[in-house]
Amino acid sequence: MSLKKKYSKAEYREKRLILVINPGSTSTKFALFEESIPLFELTLAHTAGDLSGFQKITDQFHFRRELITKELADRNTDLSRIAAVVGRGGLVKPIESGIYEVNDRMIVDLNAGLLGQHASNLGGLIAHDIATTLPNAKAYIVDPVVVDELQPAARLSGHPEIERISIFHALNQKAVARIYASSVNKKYEDLNLIIGHLGGGISVGAHRKGKVVDVNNALHGDGPFSPERSGGLPSGQLADLCFSGRFTHAQVKSMISGKGGMVAYLGTNSFRDVCKMADKGDEKAKLVIETAAYQISKEIGAMAAVLYGKVDAILLTGGLAYNKSFISSIESQVSFIANVSVYPGEDEIKSLAYNGLLALDGKIAIKTYS
């Protein structure tokens, strides 16, 4: 429906626009909101060929930025009405949950990839670059993947040279937690929840009264395996592999994140394709799916222990949550802990826009990255 049919010209000019940018490993998602109303949302897929010429994630900056600005131009977007550009947060230093205005310190750390190279690093970089070209816009990130609320006992790994760190799907987990809390007429801060984000990476977090006190490192080899990540591997065998002379450091890292998990076992990181293989009788695919559900259930059980068994609900979200039989398998193993609620897909775009609007309206404290 045309916006001009809904608002007078004066009202139309007054409505603030919020541009949301959510880069993923193989896609760039972005959306334009008129305050709380979504105008459009796009997902631009990037093939391996599209990205093959870029050595580092940050080298993709101009490629992805131009796709976004071209789409805005093609839609005759009044750029002067954009008041906030909100990007998905990347691998900056560990910070508390919240919304942050992008500043020079953050730009340096996003470019450096302090905790690793990931497409989410581009969210803040592109948001800042676009905002600087606009007359009335500010750039923000919200609940980046390095949100750190771990309790002290969750940080010790078993050796002082290796500390457990918090890298997980903070934005989506926090958004789903608040959606659930609202549905039961309670505050997120009053609940104990176990939330599993099941996507290209898998993170399972223990949420105690509004804080994620323990969670597996979903990027660097911890917890359940996923479509493209190995999850936790037997450390002795991994050490032997590293010093076998068969693989470079970069190759081992890619086995852990990018070329591990389902893609290593079956040659595809598409869970849909894996399920199709299983439906056609592929026994290996069936075992991989069964084991994925098994490992996720084990991780949920571990987080129940973190919460001393006092769990109000288990929430499952992410792309894999669309598969009802897969979710049913997990539910059959963990429903004795608490009721399971399912939120397929991810709410990241809406959550970014919502936080951007709160910032514009002064209803949320804007934090400073330092």
Side-chain angles (χ1 to χ4, degrees), residues 43 90 129 204 255 276 318 349 364:
T43 299
D129 194 65
V204 180
M255 290 178 187
K276 288 177 182 178
I349 289 288
I364 189 172

Side-chain angles (χ1 to χ4, degrees), residues 41-341:
E41 179 178 339
L42 291 177
T43 299
L44 301 181
H46 310 311
T47 67
D50 292 334
L51 304 178
S52 62
F54 303 109
Q55 292 186 342
K56 298 185 301 180
I57 289 292
T58 48
D59 293 340
Q60 300 173 19
F61 171 84
H62 292 289
F63 166 70
R64 299 204 192 210
R65 186 199 189 284
E66 288 172 10
L67 291 174
I68 296 169
T69 53
K70 181 180 184 301
E71 185 63 34
L72 293 174
D74 289 347
R75 290 173 178 264
N76 297 316
T77 305
D78 183 355
L79 300 181
S80 67
R81 292 175 56 211
I82 296 179
V85 188
V86 188
R88 183 182 176 194
L91 297 172
V92 292
K93 65 183 65 174
I95 54 178
E96 63 182 14
S97 177
I99 184 167
Y100 292 78
E101 187 170 352
V102 181
N103 58 19
D104 291 342
R105 179 72 260 170
M106 187 186 294
I107 293 295
V108 170
D109 289 351
L110 286 171
N111 274 306
L114 288 185
L115 294 179
Q117 292 290 328
H118 189 270
S120 60
N121 291 11
L122 294 168
L125 294 173
I126 296 174
H128 178 264
D129 194 65
I130 290 177
T132 57
T133 68
L134 303 176
N136 304 308
K138 291 186 177 181
Y140 304 98
I141 66 167
V142 182
D143 281 340
V145 293
V146 291
V147 163
D148 187 349
E149 300 168 335
L150 297 183
Q151 60 187 355
R155 299 186 188 280
L156 272 63
S157 68
H159 196 285
E161 290 291 332
I162 303 173
E163 180 177 280
R164 292 188 70 237
I165 58 177
S166 179
I167 298 180
F168 72 110
H169 304 87
L171 181 62
N172 194 35
Q173 286 207 21
K174 292 277 185 178
V176 166
R178 291 189 170 92
I179 291 169
Y180 173 79
S182 177
S183 74
V184 295
N185 296 315
K186 293 186 177 181
K187 294 181 179 179
Y188 167 49
E189 292 76 14
D190 294 333
L191 297 172
N192 285 348
L193 304 169
I194 298 172
I195 303 180
H197 177 104
L198 317 180
I202 290 175
S203 61
V204 180
H207 296 238
R208 178 186 292 144
K209 311 301 183 187
K211 301 286 186 182
V212 184
V213 296
D214 202 345
V215 65
N216 64 291
N217 182 330
L219 181 63
H220 290 151
D222 192 16
F225 72 73
S226 77
E228 56 185 24
R229 297 172 194 172
S230 66
L233 295 171
S235 54
Q237 291 167 257
L238 179 60
D240 290 341
L241 189 73
C242 291
F243 289 92
S244 67
R246 296 167 54 203
F247 306 101
T248 65
H249 177 263
Q251 287 173 325
V252 172
K253 293 281 281 188
S254 71
M255 290 178 187
I256 293 170
S257 181
K259 296 182 180 179
M262 295 181 189
V263 71
Y265 283 116
L266 299 169
T268 178
N269 63 358
S270 167
F271 188 59
R272 288 183 180 179
D273 289 347
V274 171
C275 292
K276 288 177 182 178
M277 293 166 67
D279 290 342
K280 292 179 180 178
D282 188 316
E283 294 300 324
K284 187 175 182 181
K286 290 180 183 178
L287 179 60
V288 167
I289 294 171
E290 178 185 335
T291 306
Y294 170 77
Q295 289 194 0
I296 292 165
S297 301
K298 280 177 63 177
E299 195 73 14
I300 291 171
M303 293 307 164
V306 170
L307 297 173
Y308 293 85
K310 297 177 181 177
V311 183
D312 292 299
I314 298 167
L315 312 181
L316 301 178
T317 183
L320 275 61
Y322 282 111
N323 189 294
K324 293 182 179 179
S325 63
F326 183 67
I327 292 302
S328 178
S329 178
I330 296 171
E331 189 170 8
S332 68
Q333 296 177 76
V334 303
S335 59
F336 72 95
I337 299 170
N339 289 333
V340 178
S341 294

